[in-house]
Amino acid sequence: MVAAILEAAARVLEREGLERYNTNRVAEVAGVSVGSLYQYFPNKDALTVALIERTQADLDAALTAAAKACEGHTLIASLRLLARAAITWQARRPRLAAALDYEERRLPLAPLLDASGAAIGRHVVAVLRRHAREITAPDLAVAAADIRAMAQALIDADPESSPSDIEERVVRAALGYLTMPIKTLNASDQAAVGSKARG
């Protein structure tokens, strides 16, 4: 029942948009009474949070698999596998992803999103650690968070681009960030990076 209701909510969001998204419409699409829906979800926001939790778990599973697939690959090949997993996941249901992105900003979801971001960060850090000798970024956890932010921005910025084009841009941005020679920074930036690395 819960799975059917969540899938109905996803279908309403991606086919009809936020303006038609309400518990009555979700119950109708799920083929259940609104009373049955309320037994599991007391209101629309609770339903939305559960749907966001489900999609975050799906993304975590996709990145877990991608991180495992990276074993034995070069840094650039690993970045490509991670980027492809994230882009493929987002491209599966782009209208749903956009609607949930909007809801994530509207609802007080910081603990949920922080936990999800931390899980994604752990996958990326595990991959980066295998290539630590090639990476000039002084803090792998910070680098993982920055790469995630860059990838999300590039994915969101141009939804009309092909997945392969977006993948190429994500990989180039991440690789440049990770391997930029520290000596190209100016003297004050070098001192700040050195101080942070020692601290």
Side-chain angles (χ1 to χ4, degrees):
M1 176 79 78
V2 169
I5 291 169
L6 288 175
E7 183 53 33
R11 289 202 304 270
V12 171
L13 278 171
E14 66 186 345
R15 295 176 185 174
E16 302 176 31
L18 285 163
E19 59 278 359
R20 293 286 314 275
Y21 176 62
N22 57 61
T23 52
N24 288 330
R25 181 62 181 140
V26 170
E28 181 183 356
V29 171
V32 302
S33 70
V34 73
S36 295
L37 184 150
Y38 284 137
Q39 288 179 352
Y40 300 99
F41 306 104
N43 52 51
K44 184 177 79 170
D45 285 351
L47 177 60
T48 305
V49 170
L51 188 55
I52 290 169
E53 287 176 334
R54 186 184 80 161
T55 59
Q56 293 295 327
D58 288 346
L59 175 59
D60 183 64
L63 290 174
T64 297
K68 287 180 181 174
C70 290
E71 290 183 25
H73 286 280
T74 63
L75 175 59
I76 191 168
S78 297
L79 293 173
R80 194 170 296 287
L81 286 168
L82 290 172
R84 188 172 299 157
I87 293 163
T88 300
W89 177 83
Q90 182 97 357
R92 274 184 325 144
R93 302 177 87 168
R95 293 186 68 191
L96 174 62
L100 292 179
D101 283 348
Y102 177 87
E103 291 293 88
E104 286 173 9
R105 292 188 294 271
R106 183 181 69 81
L107 295 168
L109 296 176
L112 168 63
L113 298 178
D114 288 349
S116 175
I120 292 169
R122 285 192 295 273
H123 297 313
V124 178
V125 167
V127 172
L128 297 183
R129 194 171 286 125
R130 297 181 198 132
H131 303 282
R133 291 181 181 178
E134 303 167 62
I135 294 171
T136 58
D139 186 319
L140 293 185
V142 171
D146 289 348
I147 288 170
R148 180 181 176 217
M150 286 188 289
Q152 190 65 55
L154 288 166
I155 291 167
D156 291 344
D158 191 4
E160 302 303 315
S161 286
S162 71
S164 60
D165 286 345
I166 296 172
E167 178 185 311
E168 191 62 32
R169 285 153 60 195
V170 169
V171 170
R172 288 176 63 197
L175 188 63
Y177 171 92
L178 291 169
T179 61
M180 179 183 73
I182 298 297
K183 65 183 179 183
T184 63
L185 300 172
N186 66 40
S188 62
D189 288 338
Q190 285 183 25
V193 169
S195 170
K196 186 172 182 181
R198 288 189 298 274

